[in-house]
Amino acid sequence: MSVDPMAYEAQFFGFTPQTCMLRVYIAFQDYLFEVTQAVEQVILKKLDGIPGCEISPVQIRKCTEKFLGFMKGRFDSLFGKMEQLFLQLVLRIPPNVLLPEDKAQETHPCGEKEFQLLQREIEELQERYKTEARAQQALLAELEEQKIVQAKLRRTLALFDELENAGRDQGTSDFRESLAFLVQNSRKLQNIRDSVEREGKRLKVS
């Protein structure tokens, strides 16, 4: 098999010429094996109809394998020449022929320096894309954090609404008055708790 990758031909055919020739080779090998087996079966049936035949099936199998090896060797020799002809004259695109998608190279030829500049520009664009992708990920993470903060803010505002409603129930409509009322009640409850704790300690001591 040829070691030339023939990439331009693969672009046109959709497969490498070497792959095509390999499939032809394998197909012929399979066909040769099937035909040899069929011939062997016919010979064995013919021998069964001959009375007193001294040729055994084992001998037939040895002859079949020998014939198969001979045919395979001949085909390998011929196939090597056929492969060279096909790869050079049939499956090869001439060097002066451009595929339709490459016709732009005729009007806009690209030299080695220009090609290097294009390569560098592609690398820069790839790096810029990666940077923008990372920035987008950071923005998405920040957006998730903002959603969490907004949820906490909603809960806080809901709590303030509950405090204001509680103040209205107590006869205070101003939020500051409601908050002062709650603080005052909280202090009263704390004083009662302290008194209970002191009384409990006194009773334990007595």
Side-chain angles (χ1 to χ4, degrees):
M1 286 292 176
S2 173
V3 295
D4 183 6
M6 301 183 71
Y8 205 51
E9 286 75 9
Q11 178 181 339
F12 176 73
F13 292 113
F15 55 84
T16 62
Q18 291 88 341
T19 301
C20 175
M21 298 306 300
L22 178 62
R23 290 178 178 175
V24 171
Y25 179 83
I26 293 174
F28 181 83
Q29 293 286 350
D30 294 340
Y31 180 74
L32 178 62
F33 182 74
E34 292 175 1
V35 170
T36 304
Q37 277 189 324
V39 171
E40 182 184 42
Q41 294 299 322
V42 172
I43 294 174
L44 290 174
K45 288 181 180 180
K46 293 289 185 181
L47 291 178
D48 288 340
I50 300 176
C53 180
E54 298 180 355
I55 302 176
S56 65
V58 176
Q59 290 176 317
I60 297 297
R61 173 53 60 87
K62 289 182 179 179
C63 292
T64 301
E65 292 176 352
K66 187 176 180 180
F67 173 75
L68 181 62
F70 170 77
M71 291 297 296
K72 186 177 181 302
R74 293 292 297 173
F75 175 74
D76 287 345
S77 176
L78 294 174
F79 184 82
K81 298 178 182 178
M82 183 179 70
E83 181 190 22
Q84 290 181 359
L85 290 175
F86 267 78
L87 294 180
Q88 292 177 2
L89 303 177
V90 179
L91 299 176
R92 180 176 292 278
I93 297 177
N96 61 329
V97 175
L98 287 176
L99 296 180
E101 58 268 28
D102 297 330
K103 285 292 185 180
Q105 294 184 12
E106 290 182 342
T107 56
H108 303 283
C110 180
E112 184 176 355
K113 291 183 178 180
E114 294 178 350
F115 178 76
Q116 291 178 354
L117 290 175
L118 288 175
Q119 285 286 102
R120 192 175 303 116
E121 185 177 353
I122 291 173
E123 292 176 358
E124 291 176 356
L125 290 174
Q126 289 176 342
E127 284 296 324
R128 190 180 303 173
Y129 172 77
K130 292 178 181 178
T131 302
E132 292 181 356
R134 288 193 293 267
Q136 184 179 9
Q137 292 296 326
L139 289 174
L140 290 174
E142 184 178 352
L143 182 60
E144 290 297 325
E145 292 180 0
Q146 289 180 359
K147 289 180 180 179
I148 296 173
V149 172
Q150 287 178 354
K152 293 180 178 179
L153 180 60
R154 291 193 190 98
R155 290 196 295 269
T156 304
L157 293 175
L159 178 60
F160 285 162
D161 290 339
E162 292 177 1
L163 292 175
E164 188 173 357
N165 292 331
R168 288 197 187 98
D169 294 339
Q170 297 297 326
T172 56
S173 59
D174 186 23
F175 176 73
R176 293 182 179 179
E177 294 179 1
S178 300
L179 185 59
F181 175 78
L182 290 173
V183 172
Q184 183 179 3
N185 287 339
S186 175
R187 289 175 179 174
K188 289 180 180 179
L189 290 173
Q190 186 175 3
N191 293 333
I192 293 172
R193 187 195 66 179
D194 294 340
S195 299
V196 171
E197 289 180 354
R198 286 195 298 271
E199 185 67 19
K201 292 179 180 179
R202 187 182 65 79
L203 293 175
K204 286 182 181 179
V205 173
S206 60

